[in-house]
Amino acid sequence: MRVTVFGCGYVGLVTGACLSELGHVVECIDIDADKVATLQSGTVPFFEPGIDALLQNKNLSFSTKATAPDLCIIAVGTPLAENGSADLSQVFAVTDLISVMEKPPKAIVMKSTVPPGTTAKIAARTGLETISNPEFLRQGSAVQDFMQPDRLVIGASSKRGFALMEQLYAPLNLPAERIVNTSTNSAELTKYAANVFLTTKLAFVNELALYCETVGADIDEVTKGIGLDTRIGNQFLQAGPGIGGSCFPKDIRALAFQSKALNHHLEIVQAVIASNDTHQNAMLQKIVNMCGGSVSGKRVAIFGVTFKAETDDLRNSVSTVIIPALQNLGAKITATDPMGMENGKTCFNGVEWKKDPYLAVESADVVVVLTEWELFRKIDLARLAEAMKAAKLVDLRNIYTGDQARGAGFEYDSIGRAGSIKG
Ligand code: UDX
């Protein structure tokens, strides 16, 4: 098939590159001419494992203008608007471009995350077959997630729509039970439901972790105990400093906004948003407590600014809350991150950057782990402790054990474990 993907961000680029691997002829379109030129030269403008090699595919091209494809896939951003709604201006701008194409495509495929009802609106606006096909790609493993998806969700309103999508994804050879054919509204809501469910799971684990500190339990033991229940599952149970990334915080707020606008209050959704904010404040308090009640004049070394490991992305990362909050309290910040330093430099003011974690802790009063990079897991803790002004470690990803850290000479705090200082 001839496919045009609108938007060369994480989702669009991974989608386009993977579809060309599946044998389709794909052009990826972006209004940012610099980004297109970068991609034409074979360079990926962000870090995503496995994507670079796919750019060599002869069936894949980049342009600022679309030609005449069979399918138009919309993969542009739907950021949060000021009022908390999903800003659909990019989606509608692309839709308008598609409606004036000389030869209309057989269908429009909506990959961007949009509130239920949007795909139907676009069908009405363009008069074209419009299909909802949400993505479930995780940054850091997006290529693998595309090629070996848990499931495909296809929302269409005609047999022809489902048939087109069957043709598009046939090379994946997915068993029928992994393909969920639905209405467009159900497909759109499935995307929000998945992300909000996972966010809820994490917010619950984070709350539980702090409750462990109150009742003298250990979160790693508790999550192991519940995770073995197959109804619960053992994934997405790792306590952390709070939920970040380009999707979860945005999607949960967009769903909250839509439900409010429809006068249908989703109480759990509201509670999860509040819980995550409270949790991030508790994490800040842990750092302050480790510094004896005040960080004023103290140097804090931050290990990891990206929202998780294996990405260079800082969007809605907890670091973007914790670092400015520490600075407001008078702390000086040195930060290190194996992939996030370039983006970090444009994101924060007044942060000193060090490539080498051992240099980052020099003259620091405390080191705080915000991202679970392998590099930090493998670090020589005794050498780290020695390099610091004061050997204090706040591990907000629980990547070390108390024995390891204390054995290396650290005063140590983590989340929800024996010896944790209450957050
Ligand atoms: C997410 C969804 O997983 C993906 O399906 C969707 O399409 C886009 O949003 P992503 O944002 O790449 O993907 O990150 P994910 O790996 O899901 O992590 C989200 C946040 O949860 C991160 O802040 C991460 O650190 C945190 N997390 C995840 C935990 O704190 N503990 C866990 O056990 C898992």
Side-chain angles (χ1 to χ4, degrees), residues 135-139 191 195 202 236-238 242-244 247-248 307-308 397:
E135 52 80 22
F136 301 99
L137 309 174
R138 291 163 299 174
Q139 288 177 222
K191 168 65 192 240
N195 277 0
L202 283 181
F236 259 71
L237 289 179
Q238 179 60 54
I243 300 146
C247 290
F248 285 173
F307 79 90
K308 64 175 185 177
R397 291 281 183 175

Side-chain angles (χ1 to χ4, degrees), residues 29-195:
I29 308 296
D30 205 288
I31 49 167
D32 181 341
D34 290 343
K35 192 189 260 184
V36 169
T38 305
L39 288 162
Q40 283 169 335
S41 73
T43 307
V44 181
F46 48 80
F47 172 69
E48 181 62 39
I51 189 82
D52 303 62
L54 303 187
L55 290 207
Q56 311 305 323
N57 194 312
K58 299 251 173 323
N59 285 334
L60 180 65
S61 61
F62 301 96
S63 177
T64 50
K65 285 211 175 69
T67 49
D70 299 311
L71 282 185
C72 283
I73 299 183
I74 302 183
V76 291
T78 52
L80 267 193
E82 282 278 306
N83 64 0
S85 65
D87 174 355
L88 300 177
S89 55
Q90 295 178 50
V91 167
F92 288 122
V94 170
T95 308
D96 290 344
L97 282 179
I98 297 171
S99 26
V100 296
M101 276 179 159
E102 240 168 71
K103 183 176 165 265
K106 290 178 184 158
I108 299 175
V109 179
M110 180 58 67
K111 271 259 171 241
S112 303
T113 302
V114 291
T118 309
T119 302
K121 248 186 230 161
I122 289 171
R125 189 165 159 145
T126 60
L128 292 168
E129 174 95 50
T130 307
I131 299 159
S132 168
N133 173 216
E135 52 80 22
F136 301 99
L137 309 174
R138 291 163 299 174
Q139 288 177 222
S141 59
V143 172
Q144 193 194 324
D145 289 346
F146 189 97
M147 292 302 197
Q148 289 149 14
D150 288 343
R151 80 298 206 187
L152 277 180
V153 175
I154 316 272
S157 48
S158 76
K159 275 196 180 146
R160 182 175 166 270
F162 289 118
L164 281 169
M165 297 306 279
E166 213 177 297
Q167 200 184 335
L168 184 71
Y169 289 114
L172 285 178
N173 282 321
L174 284 183
E177 63 270 18
R178 298 257 202 100
I179 301 174
V180 185
N181 286 341
T182 71
S183 68
T184 55
N185 283 12
S186 293
E188 290 166 325
L189 185 56
T190 302
K191 168 65 192 240
Y192 281 101
N195 277 0

